[in-house]
Amino acid sequence: MALSMATNYSSVHGIDVAVPVAYIRVDSLQCKKDFAQAAVNYYQSVGAFNGDRPAFKTTFVSFVPDISDGSDNFIKQAYLHLKTLDDFSGAEDA
């Protein structure tokens, strides 16, 4: 499971770089019953990820997980939460 969307980032040299189809993954997740925090990594493409290239950006997103019977697993909940945020409004399943 992953997301894809166009995004920009500033390089270490202060240059803005457009990434037309970034590959975005929840690569780690820390959870308690009333709090979860996902580490969201951005890669230049799915090929960059598969080629073991490093992420160009990492953000951390918090949410309250659903622990009721029959709820989605925490990773899927993290992706569903990301899609509710303005920063991921153009994201599509990848």
Side-chain angles (χ1 to χ4, degrees):
M1 183 173 249
L3 300 174
S4 66
M5 67 179 214
T7 190
N8 296 323
Y9 75 96
S10 293
S11 73
V12 295
H13 303 292
I15 299 169
D16 286 336
V17 178
V19 181
V21 186
Y23 185 66
I24 302 165
R25 291 177 38 98
V26 172
D27 281 334
S28 69
L29 191 62
Q30 294 183 355
C31 296
K32 295 182 179 183
K33 67 180 181 180
D34 59 350
F35 177 81
Q37 184 177 53
V40 181
N41 288 325
Y42 293 67
Y43 299 89
Q44 287 181 318
S45 65
V46 67
F49 170 75
N50 289 333
D52 290 329
R53 288 211 200 118
F56 65 81
K57 177 180 175 181
T58 301
T59 60
F60 296 91
V61 176
S62 300
F63 64 98
V64 177
D66 180 357
I67 59 170
S68 63
D69 289 342
S71 62
D72 291 323
N73 69 57
F74 291 161
I75 295 171
K76 184 168 185 178
Q77 288 183 47
Y79 282 107
L80 292 173
H81 178 70
L82 289 176
K83 289 180 172 183
T84 69
L85 302 176
D86 289 342
D87 288 348
F88 297 91
S89 64
E92 297 180 4
D93 292 337

